[in-house]
Amino acid sequence: MKPRILLVALLFASLIPTTASAAARVQVLTGSTPDMRIMPSNSFTVADSSQLTGIRINLPVPVCDATNSSMCDDLTLLNLQDGFDLRPRVTVPFTGPIDVSTVTAADLYVTGPGGFSTPITQLVWDPKTNVLAGTPSDFLRESTNYSVVVTSGIKDTSGRSVIACTSVCSSTFTTETATPELAKMRASLDSGDAYARAGITDRGATFLQGGVRDVFPAATVTEIERGDQVYADPTKPLAFSLVPNSAVTGVGYYAFGSFLVPRYQTYADAVIPHVPTTQTPSPIGAQRVGFTLIVPAGTAPSGGWPVAIFGPGFTRSKYDLFLAADLNAAKGIATMATDPAGHSYGPASVAVVHQGALAATFSGFGQGADLDADGDITASEGVGPTDHKTVDANGNVIADAPSRFATVGLRDGLIQTTVNVMTMVRMVEHGVDVLGDGTVTLQKHVLAYYGQSFGAIYGTMVMATDTHLSVGVLNVGGGPIVEIARLSGFRNLLADQLRVSRPTLLNGGPGLNGFTESMPLRLDPTVTNPYPGATTIQKYFDHANWQERAGDPVAFAPLIRLRPPAGAPAKHVIWQSAFGDHTVPNPTAGELYRAGHVLDLVSYYRNDKTPTAGSDPHGFLLDPRLFGRDQGQAQVLAYISSGGATVIDPDGPGPIWEVPIVNARNLDCTHYSQPQSGIAYTASAGEC
């Protein structure tokens, strides 16, 4: 070829678009910002000797103003943590598109001490940013070094291996501590320091208000009523309702008492002031909380009646005791309950016990407060931080600002509730004289704890932490809280939080309540086209889970069997879950059970095989309208009365109870359309 012709040919070739085979290979990014490198990474930590891990998170915080204040608040709180999340959102940025079908457990995983390895699952590929995200299949240990590993086995859309550093990219990170804070609080109770700092000198129970003992022979009680302070203005009328009571067989007395607890949460925001993890939080003072007590009829055994503690659910109260203890008194077991922190409406709430024409009215010890300043006090307003509203003279909301502590969520309310229950345990050990004359007393030891829903959530924390308890039954619990909310009827609460966030995170789409998160469950396929704005919501939820671990039952579950605290007695704990639970969905229960390796201790109530299959089965332990109530309570009683030795199958060879659960995959799906699909809940069906 002549030189001139060759030159023309080369010039012409240079104008032809580059083919895929000649394009630059896709690489794993290894930049210097969180968005441009594999995360999590210890590159974004600093040394801090005041933390148990020796480090503290140090994520970059942008210039902050009114438009992005929530983002700044979130990062500021994260930068107080002493490590990364225990099931972190792993992100891997690439320079271009990849073939997601080539991502296998051998190419994207987390490694740790002792040969530990777990794949990254529940994958989301964002084609707009070329970022692959997912979570470790296994729950990680606290205060432990791990590495995210990405290999060149992943291929791009042309079938070529991606460039992963020199064949393997690795990002080392250290997990946070979550459970030591509550353990320190428990130790502070046992040493007496918590009481001293709170100014508590009387650790016992009292049944006296205004010189009158609020203890009533059960045979004389015709009705129990509650008057709830639902308005911040104490001059407005209370909202009265009857307390359902099915605990009548074998009952001698209904009693209403109170005791003092160390209060750790602030009253303005319902958060516990942060301290480094080598330190113990100090109470801000003392708070008097109420309790209900059902005492058996007859003569108490030597040493007093055995006593069990019941833990009520979210938005519920100590009055649920009267639905939760139908069988206990006849078995000779006294049962008591206190409210979850921040629950039971305002402090002006009352209880009214009717004895025919006579009525006794006394404080209900409501713990709620109008935290959002809208003039109302709801059933759980006080358990955690809320938005802050401005209302006009007519009560209309004219402005709504997010809380600085929004992503703290229910963490501190769960910690405070656990402290309250542990204080109740020690109150019982101090001695409880119901009538004040020594004739009706309780044993100075708590036989067992059992809790329903929220009561099983903080109940997991109680059973994992308290060395004074050994027997427990935990009914329809799960975690983390954000996952419970997004998959359940509490999704509207998350929507409110996303709406008021700065910037707002509501992204519309098909999802219920105005947002679509595009988050797969364990058995779902990889998401390859997340809805616009979904990955920002995913990051927000990840940060909330990260911050809430100190009040997350999933973080505490491993302490019950896998890694019990030093000096703790052997724990005897079983769990109950319901097929298709719409309030604490099955995948959140499965998350807890897998973290604790307790699937063999789970009894599974097959609501889909009962006459009430069309109902949400969440309340089956308490709700007389649901088929499994008597069976569930029978299993609870058999277990706690035997000291954790007897686990019955409530329907024997029948199909309604699996003891233990047969198909653990049923805990990997909701059994109803996920709310992010936009389909409202109707009923539950189908095996996973």
Side-chain angles (χ1 to χ4, degrees):
M1 183 179 291
K2 294 181 179 180
R4 183 178 179 83
I5 296 174
L6 177 61
L7 177 61
V8 171
L10 290 173
L11 288 172
F12 179 76
S14 70
L15 297 176
I16 299 175
T18 303
T19 63
S21 61
R25 288 171 61 190
V26 173
Q27 301 182 46
V28 176
L29 285 172
T30 56
S32 58
T33 66
D35 293 333
M36 299 295 287
R37 61 163 299 130
I38 300 170
M39 289 294 289
S41 167
N42 276 351
S43 297
F44 301 98
T45 64
V46 292
D48 187 342
S49 61
S50 69
Q51 308 290 352
L52 289 171
T53 59
I55 62 169
R56 179 171 45 80
I57 300 300
N58 187 35
L59 293 168
V61 179
V63 176
C64 302
D65 57 32
T67 66
N68 67 346
S69 60
S70 297
M71 180 190 305
C72 293
D73 292 337
D74 171 35
L75 291 169
T76 299
L77 292 170
L78 284 178
N79 284 342
L80 298 174
Q81 305 301 310
D82 69 352
F84 290 94
D85 188 26
L86 299 172
R87 195 164 181 243
R89 181 173 182 259
V90 172
T91 54
V92 184
F94 294 86
T95 59
I98 64 169
D99 180 354
V100 181
S101 68
T102 67
V103 180
T104 69
D107 300 311
L108 180 59
Y109 54 94
V110 168
T111 62
F116 172 85
S117 180
T118 186
I120 303 299
T121 59
Q122 295 169 256
L123 298 176
V124 177
W125 168 253
D126 186 354
K128 294 182 179 179
T129 59
N130 294 317
V131 172
L132 182 65
T135 54
S137 180
D138 289 302
F139 200 71
L140 306 182
R141 293 186 65 155
E142 300 175 63
S143 188
T144 302
N145 291 326
Y146 292 94
S147 293
V148 178
V149 178
V150 185
T151 81
S152 56
I154 298 173
K155 293 181 169 53
D156 65 18
T157 52
S158 298
R160 297 179 302 175
S161 295
V162 301
I163 299 175
C165 303
T166 58
S167 73
V168 173
C169 288
S170 179
S171 177
T172 299
F173 65 97
T174 304
T175 52
E176 65 185 330
T177 60
T179 60
E181 178 180 21
L182 194 51
K184 291 174 186 292
M185 291 174 167
R186 189 268 306 158
S188 186
L189 286 172
D190 287 339
S191 71
D193 185 62
Y195 296 101
R197 289 178 178 270
I200 297 173
T201 56
D202 181 2
R203 304 185 191 182
T206 180
F207 298 94
L208 295 173
Q209 292 190 51
V212 177
R213 186 170 293 273
D214 298 318
V215 179
F216 307 90
T220 69
V221 174
T222 53
E223 195 172 81
I224 302 172
E225 199 175 7
R226 58 185 292 181
D228 298 318
Q229 183 191 355
V230 297
Y231 300 110
D233 183 351
T235 66
K236 288 189 174 183
L238 303 177
F240 282 88
S241 61
L242 292 179
V243 174
N245 181 15
S246 54
V248 294
T249 303
V251 177
Y253 295 93
Y254 300 126
F256 301 80
S258 66
F259 63 108
L260 291 169
V261 300
R263 167 89 184 202
Y264 289 88
Q265 287 179 284
T266 62
Y267 286 95
D269 292 295
V271 296
I272 297 175
H274 174 80
V275 298
T277 53
T278 58
Q279 299 178 20
T280 302
S282 183
I284 64 170
Q287 182 178 21
R288 184 164 291 279
V289 300
F291 68 90
T292 49
L293 171 65
I294 298 173
V295 182
T299 303
S302 177
W305 292 108
V307 59
I309 293 176
F310 169 71
F314 186 66
T315 74
R316 308 300 300 178
S317 73
K318 57 187 172 291
Y319 301 112
D320 273 359
L321 177 66
F322 297 102
L323 290 173
D326 287 17
L327 309 177
N328 296 0
K331 190 72 173 180
I333 297 174
T335 317
M336 63 198 318
T338 189
D339 297 307
H343 277 59
S344 211
Y345 300 94
S349 299
V350 299
V352 184
V353 174
H354 296 269
Q355 297 169 290
L358 301 176
T361 302
F362 44 89
S363 175
F365 295 101
Q367 299 177 37
D370 182 20
L371 294 186
D372 65 0
D374 68 349
D376 298 330
I377 302 175
T378 63
S380 59
E381 191 173 355
V383 69
T386 70
D387 54 333
H388 300 289
K389 296 178 172 65
T390 302
V391 298
D392 62 19
N394 296 318
N396 300 311
V397 176
I398 57 175
D400 201 352
S403 168
R404 293 183 296 121
F405 304 101
T407 47
V408 169
L410 299 180
R411 179 193 70 194
D412 294 349
L414 283 161
I415 293 172
Q416 180 69 62
T417 304
T418 303
V419 169
N420 292 358
V421 173
M422 292 193 295
T423 306
M424 174 178 264
V425 170
R426 286 145 185 80
M427 177 263 285
V428 170
E429 293 170 349
H430 184 78
V432 177
D433 185 348
V434 180
L435 297 181
D437 59 5
T439 60
V440 179
T441 61
L442 305 182
Q443 284 186 4
K444 294 184 178 182
H445 168 72
V446 174
L447 173 69
Y449 172 92
Y450 68 107
Q452 190 262 351
S453 187
F454 205 52
I457 290 171
Y458 60 79
T460 302
M461 298 164 63
V462 169
M463 293 307 303
T465 305
D466 199 349
T467 55
H468 294 220
L469 289 171
S470 59
V471 178
V473 181
L474 304 173
N475 171 268
V476 295
I481 295 296
V482 168
E483 279 294 284
I484 292 173
R486 81 172 186 89
L487 293 171
S488 76
F490 291 119
R491 186 177 172 91
N492 64 302
L493 301 181
L494 275 185
D496 287 343
Q497 193 170 319
L498 297 176
R499 171 186 55 80
V500 77
S501 176
R502 300 291 183 268
T504 183
L505 298 180
L506 286 181
N507 65 337
L512 299 178
N513 303 100
F515 70 95
T516 304
E517 63 271 36
S518 302
M519 293 174 64
L521 297 176
R522 282 182 180 268
L523 300 182
D524 291 341
T526 298
V527 172
T528 56
N529 189 28
Y531 194 80
T535 56
T536 302
I537 294 176
Q538 293 170 17
K539 184 176 182 179
Y540 183 83
F541 289 170
D542 168 62
H543 287 186
N545 287 337
W546 182 358
Q547 288 190 54
E548 291 187 40
R549 290 299 183 192
D552 176 17
V554 181
F556 285 82
L559 303 187
I560 292 178
R561 172 186 270 181
L562 292 180
R563 295 183 290 277
K571 301 287 180 158
H572 305 281
V573 183
I574 60 172
W575 283 263
Q576 296 175 333
S577 278
F579 179 98
D581 190 327
H582 182 234
T583 305
V584 177
N586 283 184
T588 67
E591 180 85 353
L592 187 154
Y593 302 149
R594 285 188 176 84
H597 291 204
V598 295
L599 282 165
D600 59 311
L601 302 176
V602 176
S603 294
Y604 199 45
Y605 169 63
R606 293 299 301 251
N607 182 64
D608 57 320
K609 299 181 179 181
T610 72
T612 53
S615 301
D616 177 5
H618 181 71
F620 79 85
L621 191 69
L622 307 184
D623 191 340
R625 298 168 297 180
L626 296 179
F627 180 82
R629 181 172 181 267
D630 292 345
Q631 295 177 341
Q633 290 199 22
Q635 188 187 58
V636 170
L637 178 61
Y639 194 74
I640 66 175
S641 64
S642 67
T646 301
V647 182
I648 66 168
D649 185 328
D651 71 335
I656 295 174
W657 285 84
E658 297 173 1
V659 184
I661 185 171
V662 174
N663 176 16
R665 285 168 61 93
N666 274 327
L667 297 172
D668 289 331
C669 63
T670 56
H671 304 285
Y672 54 85
S673 297
Q674 293 182 42
Q676 63 185 345
S677 70
I679 301 174
Y681 175 83
T682 53
S684 303
E687 295 281 323
C688 292

